[in-house]
Amino acid sequence: MSARSVPITPGNVSIDSSAIPVHSSLWDRVSDWASSHKAVVYTVAGVAVVVSGAGVVYYLSDSSKGAKGAEAGTGTPEEKKKSKKDRRKAKKQAESVKKEEETKQKTPTVEPEDELPEVDESTVGSLSEQDRKDYAAKLKAAGNKAYGSKDYNRAIDLYGKAILCKPDPIFFSNRAACFNALGDWDKVVEDTTAALALDSEYVKALNRRANAYEHLEKNSEALLDYTASCIIDGFRTEQSAQSVERLLKKVAEAKGKAILAEKDKKLPSPTFVTNYLQSFRSRPFPKGLEEEVELDEESGKGQLQAGLVALSKKTGEGYEAASKAFERALELGDLGEHEAFAYNMRGTFEYLRGQNEDALKDLTKSAELQPSLTQTYIKRASMHLEIGNREAAANDFEEAMKQNKEDPDIYYHRAQLHFILGEFAEAAKDYQQSIELDRDFIFSHIQLGVTQYKMGSIASSMATFRKCIKSFDKVPDVYNYYGELLLDQQKYQEAIEKFDTAVEMEKQTKPLGMNVLPLINKALALFQWKQDFQEAEKLCQKALIIDPECDIAVATMAQLLLQQGKVTEALKYFERAAELARTEGEIVNALSYAEATRTQLEVQEKYPQLASRLQGMGGGLGGGAR
């Protein structure tokens, strides 16, 4: 984009991986490292803490998307599901038969009420060890009978007497079950904690305490207990794993709301803003605001012009200056025919800062003042889509079409909407229409190639990118995104060559505003290909020196550290990613990783005896990402 041209408004962009199709494969790789294995073991100072397919997958993926399919194995998903179901059924039958046999052999006879032993704190000390053991068994059996009859208070009394005779974790857990039925959550916590003091790996007690903590709204404590429970039983209990997922989301959402309420509304990284802005075709400065026209800097038009000049620098400082200038332009007023454009541009930066309510007001005002400014509707459609209002987004695209159906940007951004929703055939049609109306906009070609790839038309996608390289051989973005697709096919050497080309072009063409995505992609390629953590880290650090606010670089660093077992360092980067996030959804996503990591550290500290078992579960799965 030259100093004399500017995109009137950015289109669809969200830091969420699903919202930037050209970045989605990068984000997919960042998110999929851990979930691609049945179990990934993180070793810290010789103590392993596992996050398995039922760990990170349950933590960080929507259960409706079939994340559990990441388990190792062969056959179709349907076959796996059926096989798993059969195994569970057989296991339950076997357990049922075993329990029946044990019941016949071991269950003591329930004494009549008047024959139950009387015992209290004053008399228990005089009983022999064998008498205590026998009394405890009889009292427990009577307690079970009372519990089965829903006489919970009687059961509590009987279990209490059994505990006097013999402090057994099962007796404490059973009494906790009675308090659970009565909704006395503090007592549940008290008794399950006593049970766990006697048997720290008592899964039933952990689950009961976790449930009580959740009712007491102590969600972090509940998350820790459910996580420990999952690890102890090898992630075999789906209900517990689902509880981990639910609680992780609940904890992250609560913390996310608090962060958002106190968060300064600042611009995202220059890399983000640049990619956001360039999703629209470059346009000349509006007539009368050209750079060579002399305007009073303290006038509305002068500030509007200054904002456009600052915008064209493509740097963090330039974007901040542009944002202030557009705000100042509207404060000064007297903008004449440029008033709608000013509202449009101020709305652009409000949107980028995450101030969606203010941005929507400005975009609506812009549309009222100048309906023919089609990009106002397109940007508002993107905002509607980000907050989940698909119908409003579609209506805005229809309104834009009424104003100018020959505007190629409409088709490009409507294609983005289809892409995000997984409607790849419709997306491909709109990208193609955008190309037919304007063949010089490179991102229509890139996105068409990515969409073809998503549709499974690998040959067509590769052909599209080869044509792009011929037509746009000096544009680094082509090489970067072509490299991403090559990387997805595990053509590592070719992918790295493309990323290197993109990096060199970025250095030459945008030394002050370099796009760091090729550096991050190369880091991922080196990790996947050679497990070269050291070089991958160096590339991410370089990206963060160039663009300290780049959330993707931060998230990638966190994952690289996590893969090496540097959990404490990884946690810091995940928390940093939450700080950089722009919207509540993005903050929650980053916090989900952070909370998952933090919980693993807490489990490690609380249950160090699990180390050897966890190493056995994860044996050798800490390597390759794909």
Side-chain angles (χ1 to χ4, degrees), residues 40-57:
V40 178
V41 177
Y42 304 129
T43 304
V44 185
V47 180
V49 180
V50 71
V51 180
S52 81
V56 165
V57 169

Side-chain angles (χ1 to χ4, degrees), residues 2 25 119 141 200 219 322 365 447 459 505 547 551 579 596 618 625:
S2 70
S25 57
V119 62
S200 62
N219 294 321
K365 182 68 173 177
Q447 292 287 59
M505 287 185 174
D547 187 354
D551 59 310
E579 292 173 7

Side-chain angles (χ1 to χ4, degrees), residues 24 81 94 226 246 263 266 358 466 482 509 538 550:
S24 60
K81 187 174 181 182
Y226 275 130
R246 182 186 68 254
K263 188 177 177 64
K266 64 179 183 178
D358 292 335
R466 285 192 291 271
Y482 188 26
T509 58
K538 284 181 181 178
C550 182

Side-chain angles (χ1 to χ4, degrees), residues 1 6-13 22-23 270-282 311 314 319 409 412-413 416 441-444 446 475-478 480-481 506 510 513 515 517:
M1 182 165 57
V6 61
I8 291 181
T9 171
N12 163 62
V13 167
V22 291
H23 297 174
T271 297
F272 182 99
V273 177
T274 298
N275 284 309
Y276 186 46
L277 294 173
Q278 71 183 11
S279 70
F280 267 78
R281 288 157 172 81
S282 296
L311 198 65
K314 298 184 179 180
Y319 293 138
D409 279 337
Y412 176 78
H413 287 276
Q416 300 281 69
F441 185 60
I442 187 171
F443 293 102
S444 293
I446 289 174
V475 181
D477 301 272
V478 177
N480 179 53
Y481 296 120
E506 288 283 352
K510 294 179 281 185
N515 186 335
L517 293 181

Side-chain angles (χ1 to χ4, degrees), residues 175-194:
R175 190 168 69 178
C178 298
F179 287 124
N180 187 90
L182 296 171
D184 192 340
W185 308 116
D186 288 314
K187 286 290 187 182
V188 175
V189 170
E190 184 179 321
D191 269 358
T192 49
T193 299

